[in-house]
Amino acid sequence: MSGWLYEQDLMVQKYHILIATRHDRILRTIASDVGIGVQELRKTLIERLDMILLENLPARYEAAIAADQKGDDLVALALGRYIFSTGIPLVRESRMDEILRTTKERLDRGTPRPEAIAAGKALIREAILQ
């Protein structure tokens, strides 16, 4: 027997996972939260994450939200630190720490909270799209 027993390019299968109802709802929530288009986020997830992680996306997202809410760091909660660095690993943990530190520094300098959080989310968006 020659040839592959499975498809080498898993893009179509990954796409089908991401358009499932539960996955799509989470994807749209994340996309609107950081200001990324849904298709652009899908493309990024397909390129960076494996099938197992994509299959478990809803559970990982919910666990990351629970982890964020257990902590007492309101800035990390507002930025979704665990969602983007651990639950759905789109931003390296070291980069997320930098973003968190930068956002807290802005707050310490007197930047209004909504503006500082928006700037932090812009940094997250930039890190995701790199």
Side-chain angles (χ1 to χ4, degrees), residues 16-120:
H16 284 291
I17 290 168
L18 291 176
I19 62 171
T21 305
R22 208 164 153 215
H23 289 71
D24 186 60
R25 189 176 328 119
I26 289 167
L27 213 86
R28 289 177 186 281
T29 301
I30 292 169
S32 79
D33 190 35
V34 293
I36 299 174
V38 175
Q39 291 297 346
E40 194 170 18
L41 182 58
R42 274 192 192 125
K43 180 179 180 273
T44 301
L45 291 171
I46 287 169
E47 289 172 351
R48 290 198 199 166
L49 305 180
D50 64 19
M51 295 274 287
I52 294 170
L53 204 148
L54 291 178
E55 283 283 351
N56 293 313
L57 196 68
R60 293 178 68 92
Y61 178 77
E62 291 164 7
I65 287 177
D68 262 339
Q69 292 175 349
K70 283 182 185 175
D72 57 351
D73 189 344
L74 297 177
V75 176
L77 176 63
L79 292 177
R81 176 185 189 180
Y82 292 107
I83 294 170
F84 300 112
S85 63
T86 306
I88 305 168
L90 291 171
V91 180
R92 289 184 338 270
E93 214 162 306
S94 61
R95 178 69 178 126
M96 185 58 82
D97 289 341
E98 290 173 26
I99 292 169
L100 186 59
R101 189 171 32 259
T102 301
T103 304
K104 286 181 179 180
E105 287 170 0
R106 286 178 188 201
L107 288 168
D108 291 342
R109 287 192 309 258
T111 304
R113 184 176 171 81
E115 191 177 310
I117 297 301

